[in-house]
C-alpha cells in the first residue's frame, strides 16, 4: 500500500513560489517564527482568501441548500429559525472567529445580549471589532490563545466553531474538558467544520480523482491568481511545510466527527463534501466567480462528480452539525 503521507512534496515548492510572487519574500519569511503560537498568529494575520473554493457564491448556495434546504438561507439563519427563534437574552461564544462574519449574523437577530468572539490573530480581531462597530453590533472581541483564557462555566447558550475546531489538538479532550463545561444545560454547539485527513494528507484516491477532473477543465479555469501560470496538478502538502507555516492546521481533524458525537447529543449532522472541490479548486477558485452559463454548468458538473466520489468512499471531509450538551455530565 502506498504511503499516504508526505514529508515534502513538489506542491510545497510550487506553493512557496507563488506565495512569494503574490506576497513577497519578506512577508512570507515572517511566518517562520520560533514559537508555535507566533507562527499560527503570523499565518492568520497575513491570511487572505483570494482563491479558496469557499469564496465561490455558487458553492456557498450549494452548501446553504444542503443545510437549510434553501440556497438563499445561510446556516446561521437556519440555526436561529430552528433552534433559537422563541428565545431571548442569549449568549454566544465564537471560538476561532477570524474577522467575525459568522457571529455577526447571529448578533443581528436581536436574540443575543452577549456575543464574544475569540481568535489568536490580533489583526483579524481588530478588523472584526471595527466591522462590528460600523454595524452598531455589541460584540466583544478578544485576541489570544483560547486555552489561556478564563471563561465562566455554564455561561453560553451557543458555542460556535466555523472552520476552527479542526485547528485544535486532541479534539475529544478539548471538547470534554474545555468546551462542554461552558455550555448551559440546554445549550447547543454549532459546528461547520473540516473533518478530513490530519495535516491535509490527502488520500491517493482523492488526489487521483481530483487530478482527472483538473485535466478536464478548460485552460481559462486553471489560471492562477497571477493571470499567467496554470495549475497542472493537485499535490498532497508536505508535513514539514505544514508544521513550519501553521502547526495548528488539522492536527486531529480525522477524529473531529467522532469527538463531537462522543461528547454531545447529535441534534443533526450533515455531510458537506469538500473531498474533491477543496483541493481541486485551491488556487484557481477566482476563475469560478462569474455567474454565467458556462461557469455554472461546470460547477454543477464538478459538484456532481464530488457527490459521486463521496457516495463511493462513504464519508465526507466536511460536516455541519448542531449538538446538545449531554445530560450525563
Amino acid at each position: 500500500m502506498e504511503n499516504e503521507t508526505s514529508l515534502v512534496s513538489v506542491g510545497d515548492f510550487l506553493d512557496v513560489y507563488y506565495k512569494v510572487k503574490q506576497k513577497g519574500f519578506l512577508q512570507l519569511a515572517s511566518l517562520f517564527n520560533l514559537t508555535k503560537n507566533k507562527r499560527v498568529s503570523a499565518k492568520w494575520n497575513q491570511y487572505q482568501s483570494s482563491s479558496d473554493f469557499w469564496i465561490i457564491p455558487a458553492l456557498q448556495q450549494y452548501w446553504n441548500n444542503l443545510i437549510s434546504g434553501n440556497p438563499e438561507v445561510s446556516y446561521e439563519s437556519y440555526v436561529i429559525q430552528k433552534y433559537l427563534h422563541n428565545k431571548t437574552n442569549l449568549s454566544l461564544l465564537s471560538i476561532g472567529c477570524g474577522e467575525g462574519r459568522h457571529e455577526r449574523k447571529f448578533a443581528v437577530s436581536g436574540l443575543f445580549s452577549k456575543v464574544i468572539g475569540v481568535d489568536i490573530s490580533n489583526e483579524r480581531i481588530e478588523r472584526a471589532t471595527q466591522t462590528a462597530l460600523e454595524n452598531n453590533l455589541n460584540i466583544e472581541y478578544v485576541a489570544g490563545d483560547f486555552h489561556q483564557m478564563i471563561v465562566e462555566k455554564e455561561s453560553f447558550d451557543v458555542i460556535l466553531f466555523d472552520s476552527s475546531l479542526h485547528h485544535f489538538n486532541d479534539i475529544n479532550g478539548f471538547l470534554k474538558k474545555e468546551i462542554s463545561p461552558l455550555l448551559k444545560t440546554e445549550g447547543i454547539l454549532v459546528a461547520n467544520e473540516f473533518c478530513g485527513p490530519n495535516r491535509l494528507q490527502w488520500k491517493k484516491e482523492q488526489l487521483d480523482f481530483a487530478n482527472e477532473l483538473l485535466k478536464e477543465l478548460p485552460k481559462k479555469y486553471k489560471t492562477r491568481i497571477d493571470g499567467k501560470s496554470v495549475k497542472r496538478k493537485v499535490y498532497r502538502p508536505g508535513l514539514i511545510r505544514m508544521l513550519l507555516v501553521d502547526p495548528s492546521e488539522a492536527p486531529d481533524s480525522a477524529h473531529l466527527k467522532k469527538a463531537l458525537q462522543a461528547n454531545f447529543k447529535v441534534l443533526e449532522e450533515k455531510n458537506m463534501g469538500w473531498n474533491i472541490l477543496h483541493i481541486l479548486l485551491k488556487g484557481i477558485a477566482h476563475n469560478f466567480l462569474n455567474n454565467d452559463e458556462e461557469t455554472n454548468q461546470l460547477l454543477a458538473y464538478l459538484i456532481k462528480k464530488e457527490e459521486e466520489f463521496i457516495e463511493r468512499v462513504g464519508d465526507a471531509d466536511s460536516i455541519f452539525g448542531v449538538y446538545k450538551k449531554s445530560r450525563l455530565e
Side-chain angles (χ1 to χ4, degrees):
M1 178 180 292
E2 179 178 315
N3 182 14
E4 295 201 312
T5 61
S6 301
L7 289 176
V8 180
S9 77
V10 173
D12 295 340
F13 296 98
L14 291 173
D15 191 61
V16 169
Y17 171 73
Y18 290 117
K19 278 188 169 61
V20 168
K21 286 184 66 176
Q22 184 179 356
K23 300 179 179 180
F25 177 77
L26 291 178
Q27 187 175 10
L28 184 67
S30 69
L31 293 175
F32 297 92
N33 288 284
L34 294 177
T35 67
K36 173 184 174 181
N37 278 2
K38 284 185 178 180
R39 293 203 302 276
V40 175
S41 179
K43 158 67 186 293
W44 294 105
N45 280 340
Q46 297 181 17
Y47 177 74
Q48 292 180 331
S49 184
S50 57
S51 195
D52 290 304
F53 78 135
W54 48 76
I55 69 172
I56 301 173
L59 288 183
Q60 295 170 4
Q61 292 183 322
Y62 168 67
W63 295 325
N64 285 346
N65 192 58
L66 287 178
I67 295 170
S68 69
N70 185 332
E72 302 304 323
V73 176
S74 68
Y75 81 76
E76 297 92 346
S77 296
Y78 169 74
V79 169
I80 290 169
Q81 293 166 11
K82 184 171 181 178
Y83 296 99
L84 307 173
H85 71 281
N86 59 346
K87 301 180 180 181
T88 57
N89 198 34
L90 296 172
S91 54
L92 179 146
L93 173 64
S94 178
I95 302 172
C97 65
E99 297 183 12
R101 179 163 61 96
H102 303 288
E103 62 271 13
R104 286 198 297 273
K105 292 184 179 181
F106 282 97
V108 296
S109 69
L111 302 179
F112 293 86
S113 59
K114 179 172 71 173
V115 177
I116 299 176
V118 178
D119 199 272
I120 200 167
S121 166
N122 291 318
E123 293 185 15
R124 302 190 94 195
I125 285 294
E126 288 176 5
R127 291 193 287 270
T129 300
Q130 182 60 36
T131 304
L133 289 173
E134 291 171 355
N135 288 275
N136 296 314
L137 295 174
N138 183 24
I139 302 176
E140 177 185 353
Y141 284 107
V142 182
D145 182 352
F146 179 77
H147 292 300
Q148 306 301 319
M149 296 179 182
I150 299 175
V151 185
E152 183 182 354
K153 291 184 178 181
E154 297 190 357
S155 58
F156 291 98
D157 298 287
V158 181
I159 293 180
L160 173 64
F161 289 97
D162 189 293
S163 297
S164 55
L165 180 57
H166 73 273
H167 284 274
F168 287 87
N169 288 291
D170 182 19
I171 294 175
N172 183 69
F174 174 62
L175 292 174
K176 182 177 182 179
K177 298 173 184 177
E178 298 188 53
I179 299 304
S180 184
L182 304 182
L183 273 177
K184 295 180 182 179
T185 303
E186 297 299 319
I188 60 173
L189 184 150
V190 180
N192 189 36
E193 279 293 337
F194 173 76
C195 58
N198 291 351
R199 302 293 184 191
L200 312 186
Q201 295 301 286
W202 314 120
K203 298 176 182 178
K204 183 178 183 300
E205 58 186 336
Q206 282 180 278
L207 293 169
D208 290 345
F209 198 89
N211 278 310
E212 286 302 314
L213 288 176
L214 184 61
K215 291 177 183 177
E216 296 181 31
L217 294 182
K219 184 178 179 180
K220 67 179 181 179
Y221 288 99
K222 295 189 283 190
T223 304
R224 295 184 183 273
I225 198 74
D226 62 5
K228 300 177 182 179
S229 52
V230 175
K231 181 173 180 176
R232 303 190 184 281
K233 190 172 182 178
V234 177
Y235 294 92
R236 179 190 297 128
L239 288 170
I240 293 175
R241 179 173 67 89
M242 294 286 294
L243 292 171
L244 284 174
V245 175
D246 183 5
S248 79
E249 183 60 74
D252 193 34
S253 52
H255 300 118
L256 183 147
K257 185 175 178 179
K258 288 184 178 179
L260 284 166
Q261 295 169 348
N263 288 281
F264 301 92
K265 178 182 178 182
V266 180
L267 298 181
E268 64 176 282
E269 196 174 70
K270 299 174 181 178
N271 287 336
M272 301 299 294
W274 289 38
N275 303 51
I276 302 302
L277 298 181
H278 186 184
I279 57 179
L280 172 65
L281 300 180
K282 178 179 172 57
I284 58 173
H286 57 280
N287 298 312
F288 293 83
L289 299 179
N290 292 332
N291 185 26
D292 58 72
E293 184 176 359
E294 181 184 12
T295 302
N296 289 334
Q297 287 181 352
L298 186 54
L299 280 170
Y301 171 73
L302 295 177
I303 289 170
K304 180 182 177 183
K305 299 303 289 186
E306 180 178 75
E307 290 175 340
E308 291 173 358
F309 179 86
I310 293 170
E311 184 176 0
R312 189 174 79 238
V313 301
D315 206 3
D317 277 0
S318 178
I319 59 166
F320 168 82
V322 181
Y323 308 85
K324 189 175 181 180
K325 186 168 183 176
S326 172
R327 293 186 181 275
L328 296 178
E329 298 176 17

